Amino acid sequence: MTEKDTLEAAITAQGDVVRKLKSAATKDKAKINEEVQKLLALKEQLKQCTVENAGEPAVPKPSGATESTPGNRNLSLKTPKGTRDYGPESMALRQRVLDQVIRVFRKHGAETIDTPVFELKEVLTGKYGEDSKLIYDLKDQGGEILALRYDLTVPFARYVGMGNVFNIKRYHIAKVYRRDNPQITRGRYREFYQCDFDIAGTYDPMLPDAECVKVVCEILSDVGVGEFVVKLNHRKLLDGMFEACGVPADKFRTACSSVDKLDKTPWAEVKREMVEEKGLTEETVDRIGEYVTLHGGPELVDRLAADEKLKQIPSAMEGLEDMRLLLQYCDIFQVANRVSFDLSLARGLDYYTGVIYEAVLLGSGAGGGAEEEEITVGSVAGGGRYDNLVGMFNPKRKQVPCVGVSIGVERLFSIIEARAGGKTRTNETQVYAEHSYKLNPKLLAQLQHCEEYQIPYAIILGDGELSRGVVKLREIATRKEEELPVDTFIEELRRRLSAS
């Protein structure tokens, strides 16, 4: 049995497991999602196997040939693990998403910058907590130890500190790199784009933070990926909660990284990790469990403000007052119905100091079938306040408070690509007036080209039209033709394009 046969048999068996779970009277959503991910992983393996084995049979090596002889290497044509190619249709969808994202960024007054794709490794290390192991190292290049950028936030903080920038509202769209375990069907790659929006500078409390929440809500609404909620929490409140539960101060960050897994890992597994791997007592972890199940709105702020254990911890009270003000601004910005104060939200990156947030899609779509499971991607945006990051590069420079959000555009793109029906238009040509690459092009072939590429109009200009001083305009979709005077043709065409 070939590897392909083995994979196909495994896919069939795994599909049966998923169907049985879905048809069971009591549906365990976490178990279903786990088994669906196994099924998708098998499908991805089969896809890679098919790509590797496609093509011509290997040609026998000539006598005396070596491995280094040109043309004799049996090269496997595939993209590196965690990456993918984008064809014209994929890129057309992708560009439309990016255009919508940029439109919102500019609407809020942001200007754009760019930074190198690699940084000095020491710039990146010590900023991401346990995720630092995912940084891509590069070989020594001329005496500099370099690494590919992990995100756009740390390079932005380096840019602010290095350039003595004290206030800026910027967006940055560029590729980042993570030596992670890829999940292609869920938009999780090793090379991917991030779309960041950040506000650096000293302003009145919670106003920039609220604008970041507003930006997320506008983008997700404009892109149209379905219902979502923006979860909100506060790092000071989290640290206060850990202190109240008996977590040693030197284990706040590691406890935080465990809690951060609750969006995709059951509490029982997170609890096991905190006890067995992080060294926390079971009693302490049980106390944490009582808090991280809480979520709500202003009423939860009031409830926690009255908590006797939290009342003894100043940082927790500061975090709650920030949350109270943030929720009030969210109401003013008309996004209160989109946000949830959620104590399970932790965001494991070390550099966050205040409000943190994460946008999560609700539900898997209308169909509920196996295909819809493939586009359930969970978190699609995240960010928070990082007031101390700029100062980490040079303590002698002035500290610059910052807050920002990163849009998971790859995940949005995965959803939109999976939902796209029919052929996607891949060009921006509105009127076909270019010359076909033939000496004597056939009119029918050129009109068929317009239909295939969904070009709305074609201009037909022959000897007969020229002699009468007219241009023939053909509407491709209806095949309706109309003759227009040459001197008014351009204005009429512009009017029609504007109307459409």
Side-chain angles (χ1 to χ4, degrees):
M1 182 179 285
T2 66
E3 181 184 0
K4 181 179 178 182
D5 293 334
T6 303
L7 285 170
E8 287 176 342
I11 288 171
T12 301
Q14 187 64 26
D16 291 339
V17 171
V18 172
R19 281 189 289 273
K20 287 178 182 178
L21 284 171
K22 287 187 174 182
S23 62
T26 304
K27 290 183 172 61
D28 185 340
K29 292 185 178 180
K31 183 65 175 175
I32 291 174
N33 194 53
E34 179 184 346
E35 297 300 331
V36 166
Q37 290 310 309
K38 292 179 182 177
L39 176 61
L40 297 176
L42 287 169
K43 288 182 178 179
E44 184 64 26
Q45 287 181 42
L46 177 61
K47 180 180 176 183
Q48 292 294 338
C49 176
T50 303
V51 170
E52 289 174 13
N53 294 327
E56 298 300 322
V59 178
K61 285 195 296 184
S63 175
T66 64
E67 287 297 327
S68 60
T69 303
N72 285 326
R73 292 183 60 192
N74 187 18
L75 179 64
S76 175
L77 291 177
K78 61 187 287 290
T79 59
K81 183 180 180 181
T83 66
R84 61 166 290 189
D85 290 326
Y86 294 91
E89 288 199 28
S90 294
M91 284 304 298
L93 287 171
R94 182 187 190 89
Q95 193 58 52
R96 287 166 202 170
V97 173
L98 290 176
D99 288 345
Q100 289 174 305
V101 171
I102 292 173
R103 199 154 44 237
V104 174
F105 287 161
R106 290 177 174 172
K107 172 184 171 184
H108 284 263
E111 52 194 344
T112 191
I113 67 166
D114 195 13
T115 62
V117 72
F118 46 82
E119 296 273 353
L120 296 176
K121 186 177 179 182
E122 61 184 348
V123 168
L124 303 181
T125 53
K127 315 298 190 304
Y128 303 109
E130 295 182 5
D131 283 350
S132 289
K133 63 181 181 291
L134 303 181
I135 294 173
Y136 261 112
D137 291 340
L138 299 176
K139 289 184 178 180
D140 184 345
Q141 299 291 335
E144 292 185 330
I145 306 302
L146 307 175
L148 294 176
R149 60 187 173 204
Y150 176 89
D151 67 2
L152 301 179
T153 304
V154 171
F156 172 61
R158 191 263 308 149
Y159 168 86
V160 170
M162 179 177 161
N164 288 321
V165 178
F166 299 123
N167 59 77
I168 186 175
K169 182 188 291 186
R170 83 88 170 87
Y171 72 90
H172 189 185
I173 298 178
K175 285 184 176 181
V176 299
Y177 300 85
R178 297 184 184 179
R179 199 162 44 85
D180 203 351
N181 291 321
Q183 293 177 283
I184 303 299
T185 57
R186 295 172 67 86
R188 191 182 186 97
Y189 300 91
R190 286 183 164 185
E191 177 196 59
F192 56 96
Y193 272 97
Q194 279 193 341
C195 300
D196 279 21
F197 173 90
D198 292 81
I199 303 172
T202 302
Y203 304 100
D204 286 348
M206 295 300 104
L207 272 170
D209 310 66
E211 183 171 17
C212 287
V213 175
K214 175 71 169 174
V215 164
V216 172
C217 292
E218 287 186 6
I219 287 173
L220 295 183
S221 296
D222 288 356
V223 171
V225 288
E227 291 301 309
F228 62 90
V229 63
V230 181
K231 297 180 180 181
L232 309 174
N233 203 357
H234 201 292
R235 262 295 171 77
K236 288 184 179 179
L237 176 58
L238 269 174
D239 288 350
M241 178 189 75
F242 290 141
E243 182 179 343
C245 293
V247 178
D250 62 346
K251 291 189 175 182
F252 282 3
R253 292 285 75 84
T254 189
C256 199
S257 69
S258 294
V259 172
D260 189 42
K261 298 176 181 177
L262 280 173
D263 63 331
K264 48 188 175 291
T265 306
W267 168 247
E269 177 60 26
V270 173
K271 177 180 177 179
R272 185 204 62 75
E273 177 181 290
M274 296 176 83
V275 173
E276 297 179 11
E277 298 179 23
K278 303 298 178 67
L280 300 178
T281 67
E282 190 164 342
E283 181 183 6
T284 294
V285 176
D286 285 339
R287 289 186 194 135
I288 293 173
E290 295 175 4
Y291 284 109
V292 296
T293 56
L294 301 177
H295 58 88
E299 75 287 345
L300 180 57
V301 176
D302 295 335
R303 175 181 171 184
L304 294 172
D307 185 294
E308 291 301 326
K309 293 179 182 177
L310 293 178
K311 284 169 69 174
Q312 308 303 316
I313 303 171
S315 65
M317 292 296 101
E318 290 176 19
L320 284 171
E321 286 308 306
D322 280 350
M323 288 303 304
R324 191 190 306 278
L325 183 56
L326 177 61
L327 290 173
Q328 289 173 355
Y329 283 135
C330 286
D331 186 37
I332 293 171
F333 287 169
Q334 299 181 336
V335 293
N337 62 322
R338 295 290 196 179
V339 303
S340 172
F341 177 21
D342 193 322
L343 286 182
S344 70
L345 177 63
R347 297 202 60 80
L349 299 180
D350 277 3
Y351 52 65
Y352 289 123
T353 59
V355 169
I356 51 178
Y357 31 76
E358 186 169 89
V360 180
L361 297 188
L362 301 176
S364 60
E371 290 184 1
E372 291 294 341
E373 292 288 355
E374 293 188 37
I375 58 174
T376 308
V377 297
S379 173
V380 290
R385 177 161 287 280
Y386 50 102
D387 285 347
N388 300 330
L389 186 56
V390 174
M392 291 175 70
F393 297 116
N394 189 338
K396 294 181 180 179
R397 286 197 173 102
K398 180 181 177 182
Q399 189 60 272
V400 183
C402 301
V403 63
V405 65
S406 180
I407 307 298
V409 70
E410 297 287 359
R411 297 186 174 185
L412 297 182
F413 176 64
S414 294
I415 300 169
I416 293 169
E417 185 177 35
R419 291 178 180 172
K423 182 175 173 62
T424 300
R425 191 176 174 198
T426 58
N427 66 81
E428 297 297 321
T429 304
Q430 296 288 78
V431 181
Y432 186 74
E434 60 183 298
H435 190 278
S436 178
Y437 297 137
K438 289 181 178 294
L439 290 175
N440 297 299
K442 298 289 191 294
L443 178 60
L444 179 59
Q446 294 183 86
L447 295 178
Q448 287 174 339
H449 172 88
C450 293
E451 290 184 359
E452 181 182 354
Y453 287 90
Q454 303 178 46
I455 300 171
Y457 294 99
I459 299 172
I460 301 172
L461 189 60
D463 292 337
E465 286 82 13
L466 286 173
S467 64
R468 297 195 307 275
V470 298
V471 171
K472 188 177 292 182
L473 181 66
R474 181 183 175 100
E475 190 174 316
I476 299 300
T478 63
R479 301 186 178 180
K480 177 184 175 182
E481 293 183 353
E482 183 179 355
E483 290 187 350
L484 300 172
V486 171
D487 55 353
T488 61
F489 163 68
I490 297 297
E491 290 73 14
E492 175 61 20
L493 185 56
R494 284 175 175 164
R495 185 191 66 77
R496 296 189 186 194
L497 290 174
S498 298
S500 62

